[in-house]
Amino acid sequence: MEYEAVIGLEVHAQLATRSKMFCGCDANVFEAKPNTHTCPVCTGMPGALPVINELAVEYAIMAGLALNCQIAKFTKWDRKNYHYPDLPKGYQISQYDLPLARDGWLTIEVNGYQKRVDIRRAHLEEDTGKSSHAGDHSLVDLNRSGVPLLEVVTEPDLRSAEETYAFLVTLRSILRYLGISTADMEKGAMRCEPNISLRPVGAEEYGRQTEIKNLNSFRAVRAALAYEIDRQTRILESGGRVERVTMGWDEQRGVTIPQRSKETAEDYRYFPEPDLPPLLIGQEWVERVRAQLPELPDARKARFIEHYGLSAYDAGVLVADKETADFYEDAARAYGGKPKTVSNWVSGELFRLAKESGAAGGVTPAGLAELVSLVDRGAISNSTAKEVLAEMYRSGEAAGEIVARRGLAQISDQEVLEAAVVQVLAENPEQVQQYLAGKETIAQWLMGQVMRATRGKANPQVALALLTRQLDARKEQS
Ligand code: ADP
Ligand code: MG
Ligand code: ZN
């Protein structure tokens, strides 16, 4: 039988506020020394009281609006109780029945088709600490404890690992455009727990799902889903039943491992947080946030197509990453010529350089504009420009300076080029003879000799015209 995957996601994104969700500790804990970003509140000392981080709430409203959600007028905090060494309070403050945002959607693009994915809810909560195990003892680091998290839960609308990947990339891009999260999976600032089940193709009813935890890269998400689809297919094909369990992804072995049976809401003994008041979100606040939302990727893409005359594909490539889109826009303005030309340089050569070095290079938007103008003016050839760009990328030096220092300027001077052409023809009488005898393709070889003689600096259009004229003149004489 053929099966179809059904996938729904729970995504946690760390909100980029300076302080934690309910205390004043510095929330930027990545690679900090263990237990240095802690206080009585986030270490769960008796009697310590939480205070709501207002900016985190505002960030969650921004996310809710960007995900086309309804923002709750009345929302509250709930305790999610469970016992774990990295959870000193014995509960996590979260939002249970009244999430801050609900009933939204997001459009994703996968291999050329568009698809709407419904967002069930988005709510605020606090992160837990982190346990690690060393030999016969265990260690706990509470730096993460209390870090503000936005949890986004989708409906089970995704149907493949590719769609899941597209959703995560789209969500990450939106969070970054909003400036509310670095959304860096590799640094733990965005984490994803896919729920996945299979059903026979054409069936209405969903199958029983497993949930996968511990995925800390996009690659891991894809690999784990592929593995789990395979595993569940084999169970169903042999007439078995998929157990509703939480699986952990073992990165080393590339397998999912059952961790525990799925908890139910009852297991968590949710109840309203008595130490915090409910949250009333006035319409004015929502409207003010809405009015200040930055332009989001989809809108920017439409504007790039409309305003700069880019293809949907080119615009999509440029807007996927906010920094790239900003760079492109600044460069296109500084350049002033055809915006498509700059787009080609950014998504071609610059992307290639970035991929090779894996780092941001020294090219500024104005620097790229200068380089492209040099090509337009015929000062350097296209291939020289690529070389110059690579050097700009490495050293940050300006295009004009590199060209002057290395003597790369293209020769467009008629007299200089004519002399080079005449000399090449004089040095290669045999090839000239062949040309005159009708083998016209030899002109290309002669052109190559002219380029060599000028060490690649001849303006190709001018040189070719001169060469053709010289050869034609000899033809008439013969
Ligand atoms: P809870 O975890 O509160 O019990 P659900 O299990 O309904 O809630 O939903 C958790 C996540 O699992 C959501 O992202 C949802 O889209 C997804 N999900 C629900 N049912 C299925 C299913 N049959 N197959 C795959 N994913 C599912
Ligand atoms: Mg769950
Ligand atoms: Zn604290």
Side-chain angles (χ1 to χ4, degrees):
M1 199 183 304
E2 279 249 30
Y3 294 100
E4 170 183 62
V6 172
I7 300 164
L9 300 178
E10 294 163 71
V11 182
H12 289 88
Q14 176 176 347
L15 294 173
T17 56
R18 276 179 50 202
S19 57
K20 290 189 181 179
M21 190 63 236
F22 301 112
C23 63
C25 290
D26 183 351
N28 184 12
V29 298
F30 182 67
E31 283 181 347
K33 233 179 122 214
N35 298 308
T36 53
H37 293 222
T38 54
C39 74
V41 174
C42 56
T43 53
M45 294 297 154
L49 290 173
V51 176
I52 302 167
N53 177 338
E54 184 179 347
L55 189 59
V57 175
E58 181 150 320
Y59 281 1
I61 297 173
M62 288 171 76
L65 292 174
L67 299 175
N68 307 293
C69 290
Q70 306 294 319
I71 306 298
K73 291 184 172 55
F74 178 93
T75 177
K76 66 180 176 69
W77 308 96
D78 299 285
R79 287 190 180 178
K80 182 180 182 179
N81 299 279
Y82 59 101
H83 290 278
Y84 218 71
D86 61 17
L87 190 66
K89 292 201 297 285
Y91 60 86
Q92 217 178 340
I93 305 178
S94 181
Q95 299 193 290
Y96 178 50
D97 51 344
L98 298 174
L100 189 142
R102 64 191 305 158
D103 301 330
W105 47 270
L106 201 59
T107 307
I108 60 171
E109 206 170 302
V110 200
N111 307 326
Y113 65 89
Q114 287 206 336
K115 162 165 190 153
R116 175 180 152 137
V117 178
D118 283 342
I119 308 286
R120 184 181 290 178
R121 55 185 285 161
H123 69 256
L124 279 165
E125 62 183 32
E126 57 176 339
D127 206 349
T128 64
K130 204 171 119 190
S131 307
S132 50
H133 310 286
D136 61 349
H137 56 283
S138 293
L139 302 163
V140 66
D141 174 10
L142 295 178
N143 280 349
R144 287 209 144 272
S145 175
V147 159
L149 297 179
L150 177 79
E151 175 169 349
V152 177
V153 182
T154 76
E155 291 298 335
D157 288 348
L158 300 159
R159 294 289 173 268
S160 64
E162 288 71 44
E163 289 187 3
T164 304
Y165 176 75
F167 179 87
L168 289 171
V169 170
T170 307
L171 178 63
R172 180 180 66 176
S173 167
I174 289 173
L175 295 173
R176 288 181 175 171
Y177 266 72
L178 292 171
I180 63 174
S181 175
T182 63
D184 220 325
M185 274 194 103
E186 281 72 12
K187 293 183 180 169
M190 182 160 127
R191 306 194 291 267
C192 156
E193 285 148 25
N195 292 260
I196 171 162
S197 62
L198 297 185
R199 65 178 172 186
V201 169
E204 286 267 324
E205 220 179 302
Y206 291 143
R208 288 155 56 82
Q209 84 259 36
T210 58
E211 180 175 337
I212 315 175
K213 288 196 184 287
N214 300 339
L215 300 171
N216 40 26
S217 69
F218 282 98
R219 202 170 34 81
V221 173
R222 280 193 206 233
L225 284 175
Y227 181 87
E228 194 55 21
I229 288 171
D230 199 51
R231 190 186 71 88
Q232 291 188 13
T233 304
R234 275 184 278 118
I235 292 175
L236 296 176
E237 270 175 354
S238 64
R241 182 180 127 107
V242 173
E243 292 305 324
R244 186 102 202 258
V245 289
T246 300
M247 314 284 284
W249 172 243
D250 184 330
E251 179 80 44
Q252 256 81 49
R253 292 165 54 207
V255 297
T256 56
I257 300 166
Q259 286 189 325
R260 55 172 189 258
S261 62
K262 165 86 179 122
E263 311 78 358
T264 60
E266 291 79 60
D267 293 331
Y268 290 126
R269 303 291 192 277
Y270 280 104
F271 65 86
E273 167 60 62
D275 290 339
L276 287 171
L279 203 54
L280 296 155
I281 301 175
Q283 197 58 31
E284 326 77 69
W285 192 7
V286 175
E287 289 317 316
R288 184 163 51 75
V289 172
R290 195 194 303 276
Q292 289 170 359
L293 280 184
E295 184 181 43
L296 292 171
D298 278 349
R300 195 165 204 187
K301 179 176 168 184
R303 188 167 58 79
F304 276 17
I305 294 170
E306 166 82 21
H307 186 77
Y308 296 120
L310 302 182
S311 69
Y313 178 81
D314 288 341
V317 167
L318 293 174
V319 304
D321 173 50
K322 181 173 184 295
E323 277 178 27
T324 306
D326 289 345
F327 182 99
Y328 167 70
E329 229 174 346
D330 289 345
R333 283 205 199 100
Y335 172 58
K338 218 168 148 244
K340 166 81 180 148
T341 313
V342 177
S343 146
N344 290 344
W345 278 96
V346 173
S347 53
E349 285 304 297
L350 268 184
F351 275 22
R352 196 178 56 72
L353 289 166
K355 206 167 176 181
E356 276 173 15
S357 77
V363 183
T364 61
L368 178 65
E370 183 199 345
L371 179 77
V372 181
S373 303
L374 287 175
V375 179
D376 288 351
R377 288 209 311 271
I380 52 175
S381 67
N382 222 50
S383 56
T384 300
K386 287 183 186 173
E387 220 184 295
V388 172
L389 187 70
E391 186 154 344
M392 291 165 70
Y393 194 88
R394 279 193 302 272
S395 70
E397 202 180 349
E401 285 168 20
I402 296 171
V403 169
R405 180 167 55 70
R406 291 181 45 193
L408 295 172
Q410 186 164 269
I411 307 169
S412 301
D413 188 302
Q414 300 263 346
E415 264 176 54
V416 178
L417 286 181
E418 182 128 38
V421 167
V422 169
Q423 192 183 342
V424 163
L425 295 183
E427 283 169 0
N428 300 285
E430 219 170 283
Q431 283 76 11
V432 174
Q433 256 343 102
Q434 288 177 20
Y435 178 86
L436 296 179
K439 193 181 173 196
E440 302 208 335
T441 50
I442 203 86
Q444 272 161 36
W445 183 86
L446 288 164
M447 179 65 191
Q449 296 308 111
V450 173
M451 293 308 287
R452 244 181 83 179
T454 55
R455 300 214 319 284
K457 292 192 289 185
N459 178 320
Q461 278 94 11
V462 179
L464 185 62
L466 289 167
L467 177 67
T468 311
R469 209 162 70 202
Q470 286 286 339
L471 287 171
D472 286 350
R474 281 168 178 67
K475 204 171 209 169
E476 271 163 33
Q477 283 164 13
S478 67

